[in-house]
Amino acid sequence: MILVSLIIPVYNAEKYLRRCLDSVVKQDFPDMEVLLLNDGSRDESLKICREYEEKDLRVHVIDKENTGVSDTRNVGMRLAKGKYLQFMDSDDWLAQDAVEAMVQAAEGEDCDFLIADFYRVNGDHYVEKRHIRRKRVMDRQTFAMEMAKRPADFYYGVMWNKLYRRSIIEKYGLSCDTSMNWCEDFLFNLSYIRYADRFLALQKPVYYYMKRKGSLVFTEAVSVDAVRVRLELLEKYKAFYQSMGLYEEHKLKINSYIVAIAQDGGVGRMNPRRQKLNPGDVIPEEEKSLYQHVEHTFAPVYDCQSELLILGTFPSVKSREQNFYYGHPQNRFWKVLARLTGEELPGTIEEKKALLLKHHIAVWDVVLSCDIIGSSDSSIKNVVPADILRILRDSRIARIFVNGDKAYRLYRKYCEKETGREAVKLPSTSPANAVFTLERLTEVWGELIYQKASAADTEHR
């Protein structure tokens, strides 16, 4: 059963699209479909969408002529099969477990409309955006009274921090107004709220919203036409509260909509702590042309008898060319293992696999995909971590080691909480680690891996 349909309009979004879609396919929620609607893009957006369609069965690409974001969302709503509808913009990204958290909350309380906290990203910093602190289900009147406190707040106006019940949209024929190119999502929400009965606020940030100069929202928010649109919306906003008999009591706040700045940084309740955005999500404009988005293309090496796991960062260019680990001729990984295990230096991929499995050693990398410049570990950004638990579940891994400082820091950041295992940092076998000779590397690796190992490990020395 499809519980949620995630609808993503895409238009000339190649610069940010991979970050968006990486966050989507990383969602560990099977009962969802992802509708990527390419709205006549003239860049590489459609090609990128097709790539993700091939690698994740939940992703479906719809290529259409350019008709604008409102009509594109309407197409997505007509095609959707999920019990709930969720929306996303192609230059933003989801927090970890966002879909699961929203759907579980909606299902747990059988609500028609779920609204969640989110992060507002400005450059390389972000702040948490929130408003409703009620944790119980609200009826329409209670929700409307909360909304009246912040009449122009993005928290209420946008579509991407919410879940909608598809049956309500279909029953009442709701759609986005294609005649509007600003605040059309707020108008849709006003229409939807009229027919919903059970409302719930999720006090968990689920979305990273990136405000960019030159974006439609940024330019329209300061245009003369925006004033006309606000006047029209004010009338609809007023009618909404009049229909529930709440207008007279709240008319001062409601009428303040016309003077409020309808942007997420100007109003609403913000976490006062301004936080630094994960540097892995920020690529300086002047460096974008140097980066390449790369996927890990070869599988981990392990079996059910594997007892220790060695993790690298991400395959180098040479390794990617050879389609196997530590393919650079000057990397000393295989020389160190051959010395430690008393085996001949392996030459072929099959010989390398045989050495690892014979001595119950598993090998993989911390990073599943990323943006990177060549083989430079220090340039790695937009990390999607590997599923280390996959190996731990299917083997006898007792200890985890990481090859070098960068791998160690990435493991601590992205994997340690999930695995619940601390890792031991080994000095890097990379030729860049010139301070360590082959003899010194072998000595230190041997001490860290074997002298502190269990009796079972020692047998394989």
Side-chain angles (χ1 to χ4, degrees), residues 182 216-227 230 261 263:
W182 183 69
L216 180 63
V217 171
F218 185 90
T219 54
E220 288 290 344
V222 295
S223 70
V224 174
D225 188 58
V227 176
R230 283 190 203 169
I261 300 175
Q263 56 188 33

Side-chain angles (χ1 to χ4, degrees), residues 314-450:
F314 190 77
S316 67
V317 173
K318 288 294 184 181
S319 295
R320 301 199 294 268
E321 290 174 355
Q322 296 181 20
N323 207 35
F324 202 65
Y325 301 91
Y326 304 102
H328 194 291
Q330 295 181 355
N331 194 297
R332 296 159 293 177
F333 179 84
W334 297 110
K335 291 180 180 179
V336 169
L337 282 194
R339 290 191 175 196
L340 290 177
T341 58
E343 302 286 350
E344 293 292 328
L345 180 65
T348 67
I349 292 177
E350 290 306 315
E351 288 173 350
K352 292 172 182 177
K353 288 182 179 179
L355 183 152
L356 294 172
L357 296 179
K358 177 180 178 181
H359 294 275
H360 308 295
I361 301 171
V363 168
W364 205 11
D365 292 314
V366 175
V367 179
L368 187 63
S369 70
C370 64
D371 292 320
I372 189 172
I373 300 175
S375 301
S376 172
D377 282 353
S378 63
S379 73
I380 288 176
K381 297 183 183 296
N382 294 324
V383 169
V384 175
D387 181 11
I388 308 299
L389 283 177
R390 163 185 169 185
I391 296 180
L392 301 184
R393 285 192 297 262
D394 300 333
S395 68
R396 298 161 53 189
I397 299 296
R399 292 194 301 155
I400 299 174
F401 300 87
V402 287
N403 188 354
D405 183 67
K406 183 66 173 183
Y408 180 72
R409 286 187 280 117
L410 289 173
Y411 178 85
R412 289 286 305 275
K413 185 172 188 177
Y414 293 105
C415 305
E416 186 173 272
K417 183 177 180 181
E418 182 179 11
T419 64
R421 305 270 195 98
E422 292 185 2
V424 176
K425 180 170 67 175
L426 301 168
S428 174
T429 58
S430 166
N433 186 20
V435 69
F436 272 79
T437 63
L438 176 59
E439 289 70 23
R440 179 62 177 152
L441 276 174
T442 305
E443 177 185 355
V444 175
W445 273 52
E447 291 175 355
L448 292 172
I449 292 176
Y450 291 113

